[in-house]
Structure formats: structure tokens, C-alpha cells
Amino acid sequence: MGWGDLGAFGEPSKETPNLDQMASEGMLFLDFYTANPLCSPSRAALLTGRLPVRNGFYTTNAHARNAYTPQDIVGGIPDSELLLPELLKKAGYVNKIIGKWHLGHRPQFHPLKHGFDEWFGSPNCHFGPYDNKELPNIPVYRDWEMIGRYYEDFRIDLKTGEANLTQIYLQEALDFISKQQVSQQPFFLYWAIDATHAPVYASKQFLGTSQRGLYGDAVREIDDSVGKILKHLQKLGISENTFVFFTSDNGAALISAPKQGGSNGPFLCGKETTFEGGMREPAIAWWPGHIPAGGVSHQLGNVMDLFTTSLSLAGLQPPSDRQIDGIDLLPAILQGKLIDRPIFYYRGNEMMAVRVGIYKAHYWTWSNSWEEYSKGINFCPGQNVSGVTTHTKEEHTTLPLLFHLGRDPGEKYPLSFASDEYQRALEWISGVVQQHKATMLPGVPQLNVCDKAVMNWSPPGCEKLGKCLKPPKSDPKKCVWPH
């Protein structure tokens, strides 16, 4: 979902009344970022509080390549990483993930082996295959075992876009919250729905109700579901001791535009890129009785901060034996303090850009390759900024491209190299970058090796359902990442 998809962020159709109300009752973060412009690395960052280049969710197969976790990926979240639910257990929390995991699908990467007590959802997204003929359809799990597969037992109609998955995920959330309230257990719920990932879907009652087409229908259903979750907390009388945060894993995928793409507002490009449209996210914090209503923050925030902030709320300290990139946002949320911190924009193994204060410096620019672009793959449709949205990897490490994001949120007008402003800003930013690079110890890359034999042929529970498929012989290969 993109920064520009919610009414509270200026979307003109105003079709997100529940999220807009959540913002009016809580705090809107206008400068909130993900840690990577792709699904799986950003989720790994959220749950570890660490940049993907540290937690292993990146590739070294080619320079500055985005990499994700398709079914044939061999790697996943390493045992050496400490995930938020593992740490929350120490304070007595019960932890559930609903929806998309995307941190590896082999048995050793299962969420219940990494701190979650319950899981309803899938290891990957629902994007295919759709027919189980040559490659297995993605399984859907309840806890340790699969209970079916997408497009077979969990139907998504590719013609109409109809699927009741969001409703199933909503009911799972409401039931989990009710159960914990009855048993007086502190809980952590990670509600990771995926309806706005292409191919987008919505349930019958929402189909055709949006001015924005099927993508808008999916957004409306997510909005309705968030409203029902917040009302449920209020009805149970636990809203004043429940902290809720809404955000996205990456910017809207403009490759799916216009029919299945969202809006990144005034920002450049979208998912897959390290321009603002790929990494700046909608973000809302809600905690009645604690967060002053109607707040707007310009605190530079990141999904990794949810790790540190959650530990702080639970009265826990972050691990001291590793570099944690997330900061505790509570002073910004509760007292309106602005905490000085940079935002790093990584693509694979390369730091592409950094934001310090209101300035952003690009050390490398690249949207996607000419080869991909010539096939119609475009992450910046309708947006071409000469020398910025490049189709070859362009290095600017000697003279970074600098933008003032206050005056130029769309990254259209680089500052003049000769200006005093450029010199002052670069001096400030260079010190931050040097310090960052001096402390950078990359993790072992998890997204380098692919093997069709490790796909979801025979997940746990397939025997009971008669849904086991025969895997091919193991043939590990170097993964190829085109962009």
C-alpha cells in the first residue's frame, strides 16, 4: 500500500473512513519509512529491528539487486536473529501472526520456531502459481500444518478479483483478541494481510464499491477490517492498554498500475526503488488515553522502530549483543519530541541513499534495467526525471545527488553542486554515512541460492489432505535477480 492511498494522507476519493478516524484519534507519521522497497526484507527488518543487510535478507549475486523470497529460495531468517515475538515471550506475551510471513518457507524458518505461538496464513504471497501443474500452489497454514492451498482450497477469482481471505484474516484477529482478553494475557498480534498485492482481491460485498477500481475495493476492505479490530478492542474495554500501529511493507507497486496499482502521493516511483515512492509509507499510531488525538509527527520513523518501541512498551531492553537499527518512538509519540536519526535506503548489498534531516543524498540511482524496461516492466510509469530515474546503475559516490525533501518531495530538482546549501548539507550527511559504514557488519546473505526441490511440494500436513506433491531432485543454483 502506498503513502497516498489513505484519505488522511490526501487521497481524493476519501474511501478509508476507519483509517482516517484512527489518524484523527491518534498520530499520523508523515515521514515514516520501510527498511527495503520489497516485501520480505522489510518484514525481516520489522521483526528484528535490523537492516536487511545485517539480518541476511539480501543478495550478493549481483550489485544493488533487489531480492525477495519466492518458493525456490533456500534461505530464510537465521536462528542467530532474535525476533520480536521471541523477546516478548520473556514478558509473558502470547504472539500470533495472521497472513503473510515471507521470512522463509522451509521447516527451520517456520514462524512458530521463531517466537510465534500461533499462525494462520501463508509463507509466501498469493501471487501464484494458480494451477499446481508444474509448480506447487502456495500453502495456507494453521499453526504447524497446512490446511489447504491458494487457488484450490482458498479461492481467488483471477477474473473478478473475488476472495474472502481478508474476511477470514479479520475473524482470526477478532477471535485471538477475544481469547487473550478472557484469559487476561498480554498479546502481540502481527496482522499481515496481503489483499493489495497483485493480483489484488476483495470479498463480494466490497467488489465494485470503489472509485479506484479493484485495488480501491481491496483498500476499502482493509480499512473496514481495521475499523472492526479497533472497535473490538474498545468493546472489550482494552483499547486504553493496547498500542496499535498501522503501516505498509513498501510503497505501492506501480508496475501493477493503473488497474492494480496504488498511489504513492507526491513521491517518485514505487515499490522496488529507493526513491521516496518505494520507501515512504503511510503510518498511524493509535493508543486511546495515551496518544493525544489528532497528532501529526515529522519524526523520521522506520518499520524497524516498531521492534524497539514494542520492547519498550513491554518493559524490555533491546538485545545488547548486536547492532539494532530501530529506535524507541515513544518519546516522539507521547511527548512530541523529535529524535535525530538518519534513514538509510538499501537495495541488496548497496546503500543507495540516505536521509539526514530534510535532505536526501543519492549515492547510486537505478530504477530498473533497459532490458526489463523494454519488456514493459516499469517501476516509475509516467515519471521520468533526467539523470535520476536511470535505467543503468549510476554511481554518485563522489558527488551525491542531493534533494531538499521539504521543497521537493518528488525528487525532481537536485541541488546545484556549486551552491553553499549543497556543500553544507553534504558535509553533514558525509559524517553520518562514514559513521554508518564504519559499524556495518553484513550478515550472511540468505537470498543467494535457489533450488526447485525446496518449494512447497509436501508441507507438513499435506498427507492428511492428500495434497503432497513429488519434489524434483535437488539442483541448487545461484538465484537470478533481474532488478
Side-chain angles (χ1 to χ4, degrees), residues 35-45 51-78 101-106 109 123-124 272 346-349 442-451 454 476-483:
N36 187 273
L38 274 180
C39 322
S40 38
S42 69
R43 288 158 196 264
L51 284 163
V53 72
R54 294 195 215 271
N55 64 37
F57 263 68
Y58 72 106
T59 182
T60 53
N61 284 1
H63 176 243
R65 284 301 203 283
N66 282 321
Y68 61 109
T69 49
Q71 280 199 65
D72 57 348
I73 203 82
V74 170
I77 196 72
W101 167 240
H102 229 180
L103 268 62
H105 58 272
R106 296 168 72 206
F109 306 126
N124 303 68
E272 302 261 11
Y346 271 85
R347 187 165 166 153
N349 56 351
V444 176
Q446 297 295 309
L447 308 182
N448 280 355
V449 182
C450 289
D451 186 349
V454 306
K477 288 189 169 82
K478 205 173 170 180
C479 302
V480 177
W481 305 110
H483 38 259

Side-chain angles (χ1 to χ4, degrees), residues 220-236:
R220 288 199 68 225
E221 184 165 19
I222 290 169
D223 174 75
D224 182 76
S225 299
V226 171
K228 287 185 169 132
I229 290 169
L230 299 185
K231 285 185 183 77
H232 193 57
L233 293 169
Q234 289 169 324
K235 190 176 109 189
L236 294 176

Side-chain angles (χ1 to χ4, degrees), residues 9 19 42 49 65 118 144 183 198 258 268 280 282-283 345 417 435 461:
F9 285 84
L19 285 161
S42 69
R65 284 301 203 283
E118 297 180 26
W144 289 108
S183 59
L268 186 62
R280 203 188 295 208
Y345 303 69
F417 297 138
Q435 190 180 356

Side-chain angles (χ1 to χ4, degrees), residues 59-66 272 274-275 347-352 362-371 387-397 401 481-483:
T59 182
T60 53
N61 284 1
H63 176 243
R65 284 301 203 283
N66 282 321
E272 302 261 11
T274 48
F275 301 112
R347 187 165 166 153
N349 56 351
E350 184 61 72
M351 191 198 78
M352 304 288 284
H362 288 269
Y363 292 87
W364 290 85
T365 52
W366 191 33
S367 56
N368 63 326
S369 67
W370 282 116
E371 184 189 1
V388 179
T389 54
T390 52
H391 293 291
T392 51
K393 270 176 281 185
E394 299 290 336
E395 186 172 2
H396 309 280
T397 50
L401 298 181
W481 305 110
H483 38 259

